[in-house]
Amino acid sequence: MQRRQRLKQSEKKKYQDKQVDVLEVLREHGAKIYRDLEDGQFPKFSIPSRSVSNIVYDKRLRQYILGSAATQRNSRNSSQLRSFTQLIWLAFFANRLTQEKKSSTLRDVYYSSQAFAVEFDDQSESDNIIVDLEAVTSKPREDFHIFPEERSSIFGDLDIEYTIPGYEGKKMNLSNHPDGYSIGPSLTTAELVDTSAEIVIAIEKGGLFTRFVEEQVDKKFKSIIINTGGQAPRSTRTLLKRLHDELSLPIIVLTDGDVYGEHIAMVIKSGSANAAHLRELTVPDAKWVGVWATDIEKYNLPTIPMTESDIKRCHDLKKDPRYESGIWKKELEVFLRIKRKAELEAFSKYGLTNITDKYLPPKLELAKSL
Amino acid sequence: MQRRQRLKQSEKKKYQDKQVDVLEVLREHGAKIYRDLEDGQFPKFSIPSRSVSNIVYDKRLRQYILGSAATQRNSRNSSQLRSFTQLIWLAFFANRLTQEKKSSTLRDVYYSSQAFAVEFDDQSESDNIIVDLEAVTSKPREDFHIFPEERSSIFGDLDIEYTIPGYEGKKMNLSNHPDGYSIGPSLTTAELVDTSAEIVIAIEKGGLFTRFVEEQVDKKFKSIIINTGGQAPRSTRTLLKRLHDELSLPIIVLTDGDVYGEHIAMVIKSGSANAAHLRELTVPDAKWVGVWATDIEKYNLPTIPMTESDIKRCHDLKKDPRYESGIWKKELEVFLRIKRKAELEAFSKYGLTNITDKYLPPKLELAKSL
């Protein structure tokens, strides 16, 4: 098998360079505070508004974005002094994490604030300030070393090179441990070096991930397989975006055949409204290839009746502009007509390898034309 | 660093041999059915009773076990014919999975039954029959290739050798991917070859797992680090037992400082009442080293008030014979006195590396004497 160097250097920004960017952005915000003080002004931050009225769907970017409204955190206003101080402290702490290359979590940040006598009532208050800093800097919090707790996993012929301290420059191929490699800070920040894969298959469940590895879907279909473990964690969405953008790999998503599965695929594709200030978590070209409501009928799958809450969810999503056309709209309508859902494992009715032998190949073909 | 071969061949049973055992047990049960038929008898199964009245705590084994009561599934009794048939089919299907070395999940088994027109009302009915087969054979379902969906992860200097098809005989060292290696079927069934580690640290949370790897706890304290991701999945408990029994490694458990954390450690140590028919999921020598209620006071940790349900849970556990003595009893009492709890991340109040630099070393010392 010929190993192809898929790197497109022009489109690829080295992780190390991105870190320099973050530090520069933080330094610039800090410098502005000093300039305000030197000019005899009360220092302030302008933060893009994250209120519902300022969140709009952008058809060109194919995701939600923030409009032009902004809110102020002005140290002159005593009611804003608390959140202004919290944001300044967080920028300081983020700078330190990034320079020292230490990883942390949302919860770590909350407790770390106590070392500095910076007051947060609870973690939700500090979480909110962290999202403010994302909005101010237009950088995801992972760039300043605040990583999610959740772990999903990856398997396939992909060479990476770590950038984290202690492992810098070490190379790794992700096809030797069949249970998969956890996707955490070291993998999301690694350089993606090269691959022989031609597609990435993201699948909702651990059991199916194992089946796909066991049936050598990685080799038979030249693919990288990712277990999203339900709704894909941010780190997994970041990695999916990087695999798409940096290695030009198409991304397909396989979920349970229900409204929640459809939305898992949509979130990978276009993110969520509460991350409208970011661009790093979406893969607009990602394709949902199944299990569709129409597959339930086509393959005569064993089904479970939809609950009232499933049906309500369908109606809610019909109002979402992302579900206005194409398969997104069509499949929602079929779910509402048949009022039944099916799990990925339902294909086991036809034998354990039916899903990889019979269902997957035509879906891979179809993905090329979607 | 000298690499020590820690294998004790006498205590170690090769995975391949265990598989032969399973197939023999299944064949023996099948043969008995045929003998019954040839003798003109209605075939039947005797199943150790899993009713509450037959579950007793065994002080010597330090876990719950089943008493001597048994229930019958007799094909003569028309009310038992359904569950008798389901159990026969499951034994047949388990035999096939094991011979073909295919992995499956509880859910897969439920849907697979439909290929054979064997009726289960829902997955909970088939799950229950799977536990019956465990009880009949005294084998955990993983031995007949029914694996859990959940994935936790491991990191450290451990050499393993895979036994699953396609990877048989391939060796792997688990210290090169700092985000950790997923613990799934291929790792739970691998031969554990050797290690330089002298202890296993199981930790409740992904963020802390990353911190421990980042701070090189594996190297500084010659340890293997396992992220249980909350309550440890069965595959992780199986692996912990094997690391203890086959490689003579002590196991310590670090959890949040609350009643649920204490119970996460207890389940690793002594299993749960609903797995009283199994011995493969417990590590009676596992030690819970923190975060203790007394640590909350000793280290003056930031706390959260216990909820009514936390307090009720403490009172429930006080009635459990496993919480009758030692730190298990003492810490429950302190939780009830202070009515506050603390998370592992609370140590970040003293800096992100306080937990690995200051808290962990005395706990590791203490573990030797517990």
Side-chain angles (χ1 to χ4, degrees):
Chain A
M1 185 166 59
Q2 202 191 339
R3 189 156 191 90
R4 282 183 300 161
Q5 182 84 7
R6 273 180 165 273
L7 281 186
K8 298 195 292 180
Q9 289 298 344
S10 57
E11 287 189 21
K12 183 173 183 294
K13 185 150 208 178
K14 287 263 182 193
Y15 176 74
Q16 304 289 10
D17 297 338
K18 277 173 66 184
Q19 290 287 284
V20 172
D21 286 354
V22 171
L23 291 170
E24 273 174 12
V25 168
L26 290 170
R27 193 176 304 112
E28 178 46 38
H29 281 282
K32 188 179 164 301
I33 302 288
Y34 277 97
R35 283 200 301 274
D36 283 346
L37 288 168
E38 280 163 11
D39 295 349
Q41 307 273 327
F42 282 96
K44 58 180 183 293
F45 274 107
S46 173
I47 308 176
S49 166
R50 294 186 283 113
S51 74
V52 177
S53 61
N54 198 42
I55 295 175
V56 290
Y57 184 69
D58 184 303
K59 289 200 171 173
R60 192 181 56 81
L61 289 174
R62 291 176 288 168
Q63 74 160 76
Y64 282 104
I65 62 166
L66 297 183
S68 55
T71 55
Q72 297 291 317
R73 293 284 156 78
N74 195 325
S75 58
R76 178 174 202 156
N77 184 332
S78 64
S79 74
Q80 292 171 11
L81 201 51
R82 177 185 171 92
S83 57
F84 173 85
T85 311
Q86 290 169 331
L87 187 57
I88 290 266
W89 171 77
L90 181 66
F92 153 80
F93 192 69
N95 184 63
R96 202 161 97 166
L97 285 172
T98 311
Q99 284 197 323
E100 294 180 2
K101 300 184 178 183
K102 296 277 184 202
S103 73
S104 70
T105 60
L106 293 172
R107 190 162 285 147
D108 271 329
V109 171
Y110 167 62
Y111 286 111
S112 296
S113 66
Q114 305 195 14
F116 300 85
V118 172
E119 193 179 284
F120 290 100
D121 282 340
D122 52 27
Q123 197 194 317
S124 74
E125 190 178 12
S126 71
D127 288 358
N128 200 41
I129 295 288
I130 290 168
V131 181
D132 278 349
L133 186 61
E134 290 187 323
V136 167
T137 60
S138 298
K139 303 279 180 194
R141 54 185 178 261
E142 289 83 356
D143 280 5
F144 31 85
H145 291 234
I146 303 170
F147 292 97
E149 186 83 32
E150 301 82 17
R151 298 285 183 267
S152 57
S153 50
I154 182 170
F155 179 85
D157 179 23
L158 173 66
D159 284 335
I160 62 167
E161 187 179 316
Y162 296 109
T163 64
I164 63 163
Y167 295 83
E168 282 151 328
K170 282 194 185 170
K171 292 208 168 75
M172 186 76 164
N173 178 282
L174 302 181
S175 67
N176 295 308
H177 177 55
D179 289 337
Y181 299 77
S182 288
I183 301 173
S186 72
L187 189 44
T188 23
T189 63
E191 304 296 349
L192 308 179
V193 180
D194 71 276
T195 182
S196 66
E198 295 179 353
I199 194 164
V200 177
I201 303 173
I203 191 155
E204 186 185 337
K205 283 173 163 166
L208 271 299
F209 173 85
T210 296
R211 166 87 22 85
F212 275 43
V213 174
E214 197 167 275
E215 299 305 323
Q216 306 198 310
V217 165
D218 59 308
K219 295 184 187 70
K220 287 180 192 159
F221 303 104
K222 292 191 177 177
S223 62
I224 291 168
I225 309 167
I226 288 183
N227 168 23
T228 68
Q231 192 68 258
R234 280 172 64 119
S235 41
T236 307
R237 287 156 59 198
T238 306
L239 186 62
L240 284 168
K241 185 180 186 64
R242 294 189 57 207
L243 287 165
H244 177 269
D245 291 0
E246 298 177 19
L247 299 182
S248 309
L249 289 170
I251 311 285
I252 66 165
V253 187
L254 259 178
T255 67
D256 279 342
D258 59 27
V259 61
Y260 300 100
E262 183 167 349
H263 198 59
I264 284 172
M266 180 57 92
V267 169
I268 288 172
K269 183 181 175 68
S270 73
S272 57
N274 59 23
H277 57 292
L278 298 175
R279 303 289 170 271
E280 287 77 2
L281 299 174
T282 60
V283 191
D285 290 329
K287 297 186 195 317
W288 180 46
V289 298
V291 176
W292 293 344
T294 45
D295 290 335
I296 294 175
E297 298 190 307
K298 183 173 174 187
Y299 295 94
N300 191 24
L301 296 178
T303 57
I304 304 163
M306 281 170 69
T307 63
E308 280 307 308
S309 111
D310 294 339
I311 291 167
K312 182 177 176 305
R313 184 76 180 139
C314 278
H315 286 296
D316 288 347
L317 290 186
K318 280 189 77 175
K319 295 172 204 151
D320 185 318
R322 299 173 293 175
Y323 287 87
E324 265 175 4
S325 61
I327 55 158
W328 305 98
K329 180 182 182 192
K330 179 183 168 196
E331 297 301 326
L332 272 190
E333 283 168 357
V334 178
F335 279 124
L336 279 170
R337 176 168 57 74
I338 64 177
K339 293 199 170 51
R340 303 199 65 91
K341 56 188 179 179
E343 299 176 290
L344 279 160
E345 292 89 343
F347 287 96
S348 298
K349 169 186 171 184
Y350 302 113
L352 290 176
T353 62
N354 182 271
I355 191 166
T356 52
D357 293 347
K358 303 290 182 192
Y359 181 67
L360 184 63
K363 288 288 184 180
L364 287 170
E365 273 308 303
L366 186 79
K368 292 176 189 166
S369 64
L370 276 180
Chain B
M1 186 167 57
Q2 202 192 338
R3 188 154 192 93
R4 285 183 298 160
Q5 181 85 7
R6 274 181 165 269
L7 281 186
K8 299 194 291 182
Q9 288 297 344
S10 58
E11 287 188 22
K12 184 174 183 295
K13 186 151 208 176
K14 287 265 184 192
Y15 177 73
Q16 305 289 10
D17 297 338
K18 278 173 65 184
Q19 290 286 284
V20 172
D21 286 354
V22 171
L23 291 170
E24 273 173 13
V25 168
L26 290 171
R27 195 176 302 112
E28 177 47 37
H29 281 282
K32 188 178 163 303
I33 301 288
Y34 277 97
R35 284 200 302 273
D36 283 344
L37 288 168
E38 280 162 10
D39 294 348
Q41 307 272 327
F42 281 97
K44 60 180 183 291
F45 273 108
S46 174
I47 308 176
S49 167
R50 293 185 285 114
S51 75
V52 176
S53 61
N54 197 43
I55 296 175
V56 291
Y57 184 68
D58 183 303
K59 288 201 172 172
R60 191 181 56 80
L61 289 174
R62 292 176 287 168
Q63 72 160 78
Y64 283 105
I65 62 165
L66 296 183
S68 55
T71 55
Q72 297 290 318
R73 294 284 156 79
N74 196 323
S75 58
R76 180 176 200 156
N77 184 332
S78 66
S79 75
Q80 292 170 13
L81 200 52
R82 177 186 171 93
S83 57
F84 173 85
T85 311
Q86 289 169 332
L87 188 56
I88 291 266
W89 171 77
L90 181 66
F92 153 80
F93 192 69
N95 183 64
R96 201 161 98 166
L97 286 172
T98 311
Q99 285 197 322
E100 294 180 3
K101 300 184 176 182
K102 295 277 185 202
S103 73
S104 70
T105 60
L106 294 172
R107 191 162 284 148
D108 271 329
V109 171
Y110 167 62
Y111 287 111
S112 296
S113 66
Q114 305 194 13
F116 300 86
V118 172
E119 194 180 285
F120 290 100
D121 281 342
D122 52 28
Q123 197 195 318
S124 73
E125 190 178 12
S126 72
D127 287 358
N128 200 41
I129 295 288
I130 290 169
V131 181
D132 279 348
L133 186 62
E134 290 187 324
V136 166
T137 59
S138 297
K139 304 280 180 195
R141 55 183 177 260
E142 289 83 356
D143 280 6
F144 33 84
H145 292 233
I146 303 170
F147 292 97
E149 186 84 31
E150 301 80 18
R151 298 285 184 269
S152 57
S153 51
I154 183 170
F155 179 85
D157 179 24
L158 173 66
D159 284 334
I160 62 167
E161 187 179 316
Y162 297 108
T163 65
I164 62 163
Y167 295 83
E168 283 152 325
K170 281 194 186 170
K171 291 207 168 74
M172 186 76 163
N173 179 281
L174 303 181
S175 67
N176 295 309
H177 178 54
D179 289 338
Y181 299 77
S182 289
I183 301 174
S186 72
L187 190 44
T188 24
T189 62
E191 305 295 350
L192 308 179
V193 180
D194 72 274
T195 182
S196 65
E198 295 178 354
I199 193 164
V200 177
I201 303 172
I203 191 154
E204 185 185 338
K205 282 171 163 168
L208 271 299
F209 173 85
T210 296
R211 167 86 22 83
F212 275 41
V213 173
E214 197 167 276
E215 298 306 324
Q216 306 199 309
V217 166
D218 60 307
K219 295 185 186 69
K220 287 179 192 160
F221 304 104
K222 292 190 178 176
S223 62
I224 291 168
I225 308 167
I226 288 184
N227 167 23
T228 68
Q231 193 68 260
R234 280 172 65 117
S235 42
T236 307
R237 287 156 59 198
T238 306
L239 186 63
L240 285 167
K241 185 180 186 64
R242 294 189 56 206
L243 287 165
H244 177 270
D245 291 1
E246 298 177 18
L247 298 182
S248 309
L249 289 170
I251 311 286
I252 66 166
V253 187
L254 259 179
T255 67
D256 280 341
D258 61 25
V259 61
Y260 300 100
E262 183 167 349
H263 198 61
I264 283 172
M266 180 57 91
V267 169
I268 288 172
K269 183 181 175 69
S270 73
S272 57
N274 59 24
H277 57 291
L278 297 175
R279 303 287 171 272
E280 286 78 2
L281 299 174
T282 61
V283 190
D285 290 328
K287 297 187 195 319
W288 180 46
V289 297
V291 176
W292 294 344
T294 46
D295 290 336
I296 293 175
E297 296 188 308
K298 183 173 175 187
Y299 295 94
N300 191 23
L301 296 178
T303 57
I304 305 163
M306 282 170 67
T307 63
E308 281 306 308
S309 110
D310 295 339
I311 291 167
K312 182 178 178 303
R313 184 75 180 141
C314 279
H315 286 296
D316 288 347
L317 290 186
K318 281 189 79 177
K319 295 173 203 150
D320 186 319
R322 300 173 294 176
Y323 286 87
E324 265 175 4
S325 62
I327 55 158
W328 305 98
K329 181 184 182 192
K330 180 184 168 195
E331 296 301 327
L332 273 189
E333 284 168 355
V334 178
F335 279 124
L336 280 171
R337 175 168 58 75
I338 64 177
K339 293 201 170 51
R340 303 197 67 88
K341 56 188 179 180
E343 299 176 291
L344 279 161
E345 292 89 343
F347 287 97
S348 298
K349 170 187 170 183
Y350 302 113
L352 290 176
T353 63
N354 182 271
I355 191 166
T356 52
D357 293 347
K358 303 290 182 192
Y359 181 67
L360 184 63
K363 287 288 184 181
L364 287 169
E365 273 308 303
L366 187 79
K368 293 177 188 165
S369 64
L370 275 180

